[in-house]
């Protein structure tokens, strides 16, 4: 768990990404992939998730979606 700017606990990035469903956008697609990927880190930072994507040879579309997810996560 991470702490937000108000001092409240919140999901870390990996947990947040796994919880994203039915958004109808790019984030929805990578969240679906992450839930199907047994090796996906169930908890971790943006850097942990990005490293996993890179080890899995994710394409540019997936990495761009990850960038969008990171922005959305920090706005949350």
């Amino acid at each position: 768990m991470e702490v937000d700017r108000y001092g409240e606990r919140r999901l870390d990035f990996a947990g947040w990404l796994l919880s994203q469903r039915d958004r109808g956008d790019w984030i929805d697609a990578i969240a679906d992939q992450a839930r199907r990927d047994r090796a996906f880190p169930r908890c971790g930072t943006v850097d942990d998730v990005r490293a996993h994507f890179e080890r899995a040879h994710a394409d540019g579309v997936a990495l761009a979606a990850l960038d969008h997810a990171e922005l959305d996560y920090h706005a949350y």
Side-chain angles (χ1 to χ4, degrees):
M1 287 278 193
E2 291 189 7
V3 177
D4 68 11
R5 64 180 166 239
Y6 303 108
E8 294 182 19
R9 293 176 57 176
R10 69 174 186 164
L11 288 172
D12 57 20
F13 180 74
W16 174 85
L17 183 60
L18 290 168
S19 73
Q20 301 305 296
R21 294 181 185 273
D22 302 322
R23 294 173 55 104
D25 61 8
W26 290 6
I27 297 169
D28 198 18
I30 62 169
D32 285 343
Q33 284 181 312
R35 284 190 293 275
R36 288 191 305 268
D37 181 353
R38 295 180 131 186
F40 185 82
R42 297 301 184 224
C43 60
T45 65
V46 173
D47 292 334
D48 297 331
V49 172
R50 186 175 306 282
H52 176 75
F53 274 44
E54 289 171 355
R55 281 191 306 274
H57 305 288
D59 63 12
V61 172
L63 293 173
L66 184 59
D67 291 339
H68 286 275
E70 181 180 8
L71 291 172
D72 199 55
Y73 173 74
H74 288 297
Y76 161 69

